[in-house]
Amino acid sequence: MPGACPATEQLAAALRGKQSSPTEAELAAHLAECANCRARLEELAGGSGWLETRAKARGASLPPASESLHKAIEALESHAPGQEVKPETTAPLSFLQSSDQPGILGRFGPYEVIAQVAIGGMGIVLKARDPGLNRIVALKILPPALAANSLARARFIREARAAAAVVHEHVVPIYAVDEFAGLPYLVMQFIEGRPLSERIRASGALRLEEILRIGAQTAAGLAAAHAQGLIHRDVKPGNILLENGVERVKITDFGLARAADDSSLTREGYIAGTPEYMSPEQARNEPVDQRADLFSFGCVLYEMATGISPFRAEKPLVAMRRVCDEEPPAAHTLNPKLPEWLGQMIQRLMAKNAAARPETAVEVAAELLILA
Amino acid sequence: MSAAPLTRPSLLLRLRDVDDAEAWSEFVRLYTPLVFSHCRRHGLQDADAADVAQDVMRVAAGAMPEFQYDAARGKFRGWLLQTTRHRLHKFFARQQRAPQAASETAMERFLDGEPGADEQARWEEDYRQRLFDWAAEKARAEFQPATWDAFWKTAVDAVSVKEVAGQLGISIGAVYIARSRVIARLRELIETVTDEPVATLEK
């Protein structure tokens, strides 16, 4: 046999291509004859066993890569998670028909548009005048990007019609559901006031009697919708309007979250709206019932009670995970002025498992009313 | 005689830093084909499978900064499988108006539950295969063509060492050395992304 068996360090150096003594030729000559050193080298390389398995497995290999796969990988590489796409904050109102009338932005169907109120994932909200009845209304228009999707369009109309059937003092009344220039829209009462989200942003945690009053009215509004078999699916402070003066609660946007569900936006992996108030079952895309709204309602109570949204996160996808996995500290531990029973009620509403939540919004409303 | 294991920040750990673009790129290249394959195995067309894979990877992107390092050991694959199944479920739910609705409803029911032992095993096997393919894609460019061929022909194509030595015009011993060098590099590459020794993975 040519040469003596090399030391382990010499074999290791050979693996790295760094050996000097013996030379590669000398080592090669030795290996050709010495089965034991071949086994030592292979073992040192870490090849024992697994490589044979892999080599054999190549017969039943992965489905072949394709052009589409490469495109997907390229798209992902150019879109690192550090750079999230920001939703547009101003909507192009190019779909309005121009108008010469002073104080009017333009026309949308029979309506004279006065101002843009808000824009969200689910729609553009405009303040408008209904010339027929001479009253101010709010128009909610499905954004053109979503309206291009026939499923989203059909869903928007169906959900809006169902929502229009709910008549309750704490639900924003819907006057009409229609379509204009390919854009479905709904006509609602225009509420002079501001959403609960702005209220909390301005003043932080609310006083106990306010929490109970706003909470009881919200629960009552939800109960009325649930009685008709309707689930809101996007209960959050931004959808709870407080009327000027009396601060009476008016819930808006019933069921509209569903319209965006089929959208091209979610197809591309973006989540419509903010998922931080979403129930875990929604985050996991599982079937939901009215108890999903109760979870979200619990988050709203929590935020009123502490000034903090319990599952808040910079990125929607992170918020989704927190909703599913994290237990925020009980509200009464963050705000010592809060009675413990309210903190516990909020915990029950925010139970991860729907079965552990209160059954109905009616009982929650009743409990809050008694205590208010 | 085994060397002390090298400690490197694992790929999953590096991904918690959203600015580590290189880690992201590696992550995408390694796992997207795995998710894609799983979708193909569930009968999705090429373009649909690529779409769903892209969705899943974006969900993963959002989840990574929150992923706990210890929990990530081995668990990440399970999580990725679950996420893939949820997205497939969503995909099939959207297809309900298609004429083959009956079989798809069955598929939906199937995807609604936990993965069965078969699916789990398939996924794990695909994962190991993907690790190997990924490492091979990367390592190939680092070696002389003859070195690479010495490895590939003997280890993967199961050609005898003697024959390969003849084909490449090098000595039998040189084939052994070349082959071991590539194996060592593959193992090293795989261990940078898994935190699990290769030998454990294959058991």
Side-chain angles (χ1 to χ4, degrees), chain A residues 15 54 66 68 77 267 321, chain B residues 25 46 51 55 79 129:
Chain A
L15 282 181
R54 269 317 107 220
S66 69
S68 313
E77 281 189 298
R267 256 193 72 142
R321 271 190 71 76
Chain B
S25 181
D46 178 62
D51 277 355
D55 268 10
W79 180 86
Q129 190 60 46

Side-chain angles (χ1 to χ4, degrees), chain A residues 59-351:
Chain A
S61 203
L62 296 170
S66 69
E67 191 56 28
S68 313
L69 175 61
H70 291 306
K71 275 192 194 143
I73 290 175
E74 265 173 40
L76 284 163
E77 281 189 298
S78 64
H79 184 85
Q83 341 148 350
E84 293 266 304
V85 173
K86 298 257 187 317
E88 285 179 43
T89 45
T90 50
L93 295 177
S94 51
F95 52 82
L96 295 185
Q97 295 173 312
S98 58
S99 162
D100 297 336
Q101 253 174 286
I104 301 280
L105 288 180
R107 277 172 202 282
F108 186 78
Y111 303 94
E112 295 165 354
V113 176
I114 299 163
Q116 181 180 322
V117 179
I119 167 159
M122 252 71 79
I124 300 159
V125 184
L126 304 173
K127 181 178 183 179
R129 203 176 71 89
D130 177 351
L133 292 164
N134 193 26
R135 65 178 172 188
I136 300 298
V137 295
L139 301 179
K140 178 141 199 161
I141 303 167
L142 191 66
L146 285 190
N149 179 320
S150 62
L151 254 155
R153 206 164 57 225
R155 236 175 197 175
F156 180 90
I157 293 176
R158 192 171 68 232
E159 294 293 329
R161 287 202 175 123
V166 181
V167 179
H168 189 268
E169 59 173 323
H170 296 305
V171 175
V172 176
I174 294 177
Y175 300 142
V177 181
D178 210 339
E179 205 169 327
F180 176 72
L183 299 176
Y185 67 98
L186 54 89
V187 189
M188 301 178 288
Q189 182 186 4
F190 184 83
I191 308 291
E192 293 280 357
R194 58 176 173 172
L196 176 60
S197 51
E198 274 181 33
R199 175 71 209 280
I200 298 173
R201 204 175 307 135
S203 55
L206 308 187
R207 292 199 319 276
L208 180 61
E209 54 277 28
E210 288 179 310
I211 299 170
L212 296 178
R213 183 181 58 79
I214 294 172
Q217 292 185 1
T218 306
L222 287 175
H226 291 169
Q228 303 236 12
L230 202 66
I231 307 166
H232 190 296
R233 289 167 197 272
D234 195 20
V235 175
K236 60 181 181 185
N239 281 338
I240 296 170
L241 306 180
L242 302 174
E243 262 184 299
N244 276 349
V246 288
E247 287 217 312
R248 183 175 29 207
V249 166
K250 296 273 188 185
I251 309 173
T252 186
D253 273 5
F254 265 95
L256 295 187
R258 224 180 165 173
D261 214 37
D262 274 307
S263 75
S264 55
L265 295 172
T266 42
R267 256 193 72 142
E268 281 164 28
Y270 301 107
I271 296 155
T274 160
E276 61 187 88
Y277 304 95
M278 200 183 253
S279 65
E281 58 268 30
Q282 281 171 290
R284 288 194 295 260
N285 200 33
E286 291 167 3
V288 299
D289 60 20
Q290 57 188 34
R291 290 172 299 182
D293 283 351
L294 291 182
F295 180 94
S296 308
F297 175 59
C299 298
V300 172
L301 282 179
Y302 189 101
E303 191 167 337
M304 283 198 280
T306 64
I308 300 165
S309 161
F311 303 108
R312 176 150 189 78
E314 286 281 303
K315 291 184 192 165
L317 296 166
V318 176
M320 261 171 94
R321 271 190 71 76
R322 301 184 75 164
V323 158
C324 293
D325 300 340
E326 276 182 29
E327 298 284 349
H332 58 275
T333 62
L334 292 185
N335 178 357
K337 280 190 252 170
L338 211 66
E340 196 179 326
W341 60 261
L342 182 56
Q344 279 165 356
M345 178 191 214
I346 294 173
Q347 292 299 101
R348 270 194 296 132
L349 285 163
M350 295 195 309

Side-chain angles (χ1 to χ4, degrees), chain B residues 58-107:
Chain B
R58 288 213 168 113
V59 172
M64 287 323 293
E66 297 278 302
F67 227 84
Q68 293 300 310
Y69 178 50
D70 287 340
R73 285 170 175 266
K75 279 193 184 169
F76 174 71
R77 284 201 304 286
W79 180 86
L80 193 64
L81 173 60
Q82 272 306 347
T83 307
T84 303
R85 290 167 53 86
H86 283 311
R87 288 285 152 160
L88 278 171
H89 182 240
K90 201 167 172 174
F91 175 85
F92 285 116
R94 280 207 198 94
Q95 302 291 306
Q96 267 176 359
R97 40 204 165 112
Q100 62 273 41
S103 64
E104 278 164 353
T105 309
M107 180 61 84

